[in-house]
Amino acid sequence: MLELRHLRTLTALRTSGSLVRAAQLLNLTQSALSHQVKLMEERYGAPLFERKSLPIAFTATGMRLLALADQVLPEVEQAERDVARLSQGDRGQLRVALECHTCFDWLMPVMDAFRQRWPDVEIDLVSGFHSEPIDLLRTGQADLVIGSAGGPEYTVFPLFRYEILVVLAQKHRLATQRRLEAPDFEGETLITYPVPEERIDLIREVLRPANVRFERRTAELTVAILQLVASRRGLAALPNWAIKNYVDYDYVLSRPVGEFGLWSDLFVSVPPALAAKAYVSDFVGVIREQCARTLDGITLLS
């Protein structure tokens, strides 16, 4: 029988554009997802999509089932939200604090989508620059933090893994290298957000273990950091999504760190009392779905 999970599989394939990312979005193994698709194709006697196309190109059979999914799933999801409102109440607030200062670009569309789904939940960003956003949970000034995983006293929802790239000027002395290693940073100026050094992955994971000496300069805005880099005032290390447009337009260059790259994981942390709220889990789901669709080079965490 055709089940809701089958329809969700099809929409995940469309959203993510590949079997690998769809499996991540659905919290399935790739083999389990492939098996599910195979059973659906055997049932209908036709392929659902072209196997060698990226992004996925659906066949007429797949498109017809997607049309059904677009009719059915929004109604089911709305009913589930309505039931949650009846059982848990339909009002609340989410004051969001960011440890990841480059998240603003993708977070704004996420918040807009969330407001449409939960119009009676007040969601807003905690204003100002905070060097330790997790402290805002402890003091009750925030309800949710997006960043590295909080401590054991908080409930943590996984989001995705992303690569941190080094950003440098077009004519920087290291511009000809395909990737950068720890010794390359000796004597360089690293431009960062004004946060503790232990929260900067490049310093914590690469430079400190190699005893590399470097200067540090700070700026609060991503665009300010990139302007300083472009004017050859130093290097920066930023998430791939934050610099893509600047690299595409040749404003700056980007290089990976080391043979396997420098990677970081992003999470949502909330107090346990909020973790069971349907609107919190739905907010996490909206982040994962939209980022899987719009951000290149990320891997959803399970």
Side-chain angles (χ1 to χ4, degrees):
M1 292 179 62
L2 186 64
E3 302 176 17
L4 290 177
R5 64 190 178 98
H6 299 141
L7 299 181
R8 291 189 172 110
T9 291
L10 291 171
T11 58
L13 287 167
R14 179 179 60 189
T15 294
S16 61
S18 73
L19 277 168
V20 173
R21 297 187 74 175
Q24 296 167 356
L25 191 58
L26 295 166
N27 289 324
L28 296 173
T29 64
Q30 189 176 346
S31 61
L33 179 60
S34 297
H35 182 67
Q36 186 183 126
V37 170
K38 180 182 178 182
L39 291 178
M40 292 173 66
E41 290 179 331
E42 289 176 353
R43 171 178 173 79
Y44 294 107
L48 299 177
F49 54 86
E50 302 295 338
R51 284 300 188 271
K52 295 184 179 180
S53 63
L54 278 177
I56 285 176
F58 288 90
T59 63
T61 301
M63 291 297 294
R64 179 61 186 92
L65 291 174
L66 269 174
L68 175 63
D70 289 339
Q71 288 181 313
V72 172
L73 291 181
E75 291 294 325
V76 172
E77 291 165 359
Q78 183 61 55
E80 289 175 337
R81 287 193 291 272
D82 290 342
V83 170
R85 291 185 182 101
L86 291 172
S87 61
Q88 299 180 3
D90 60 355
R91 297 186 180 275
Q93 69 173 0
L94 275 181
R95 294 166 297 169
V96 179
L98 296 177
E99 179 183 311
C100 169
H101 303 289
T102 53
C103 295
F104 287 102
D105 287 346
W106 58 257
L107 184 59
M108 295 300 103
V110 165
M111 292 174 67
D112 290 340
F114 178 81
R115 288 187 181 102
Q116 294 180 11
R117 296 159 72 113
W118 295 89
D120 293 317
V121 175
E122 183 179 350
I123 183 170
D124 204 357
L125 288 172
V126 179
S127 62
F129 193 95
H130 307 281
S131 60
E132 294 288 354
I134 204 71
D135 288 341
L136 299 176
L137 291 183
R138 296 189 179 98
T139 60
Q141 296 173 272
D143 306 298
L144 181 149
V145 169
I146 297 174
S148 55
E153 67 269 37
Y154 301 108
T155 300
V156 175
F157 297 92
L159 294 178
F160 54 84
R161 174 167 295 169
Y162 60 92
E163 186 173 11
I164 298 171
L165 298 173
V166 176
V167 192
L168 58 159
Q170 291 283 349
K171 295 184 178 181
H172 193 278
R173 68 177 182 87
L174 299 172
T176 58
Q177 296 189 197
R178 294 179 57 188
R179 63 175 184 257
L180 301 185
E181 306 289 348
D184 295 323
F185 295 89
E186 185 73 32
E188 289 287 341
T189 297
L190 184 63
I191 306 169
T192 75
Y193 298 104
V195 299
E197 287 192 356
E198 57 268 18
R199 278 190 36 213
I200 300 173
D201 298 79
L202 180 65
I203 295 176
R204 185 183 65 250
E205 302 294 334
V206 178
L207 302 186
R208 277 186 180 171
N211 294 316
V212 171
R213 294 171 298 175
F214 62 94
E215 300 294 328
R216 186 181 173 202
R217 179 173 179 173
T218 63
E220 291 192 2
L221 301 177
T222 303
V223 65
I225 292 176
L226 290 167
Q227 287 173 344
L228 289 169
V229 168
S231 60
R232 303 179 67 179
R233 306 294 181 85
L235 305 174
L238 295 169
N240 49 7
W241 77 74
I243 62 173
K244 185 179 186 303
N245 289 338
Y246 297 92
V247 173
D248 289 347
Y249 286 99
D250 295 325
Y251 186 65
V252 291
L253 301 175
S254 67
R255 295 290 184 267
V257 180
E259 182 179 359
F260 303 105
L262 177 62
W263 296 83
S264 187
D265 295 341
L266 204 61
F267 301 88
V268 163
S269 298
V270 297
L274 273 181
K277 293 289 186 181
Y279 60 78
V280 171
S281 59
D282 201 36
F283 181 63
V284 173
V286 173
I287 293 176
R288 288 171 58 87
E289 180 179 338
Q290 292 220 16
C291 289
R293 183 170 62 250
T294 60
L295 298 184
D296 293 331
I298 68 168
T299 301
L300 294 176
L301 299 172
S302 57

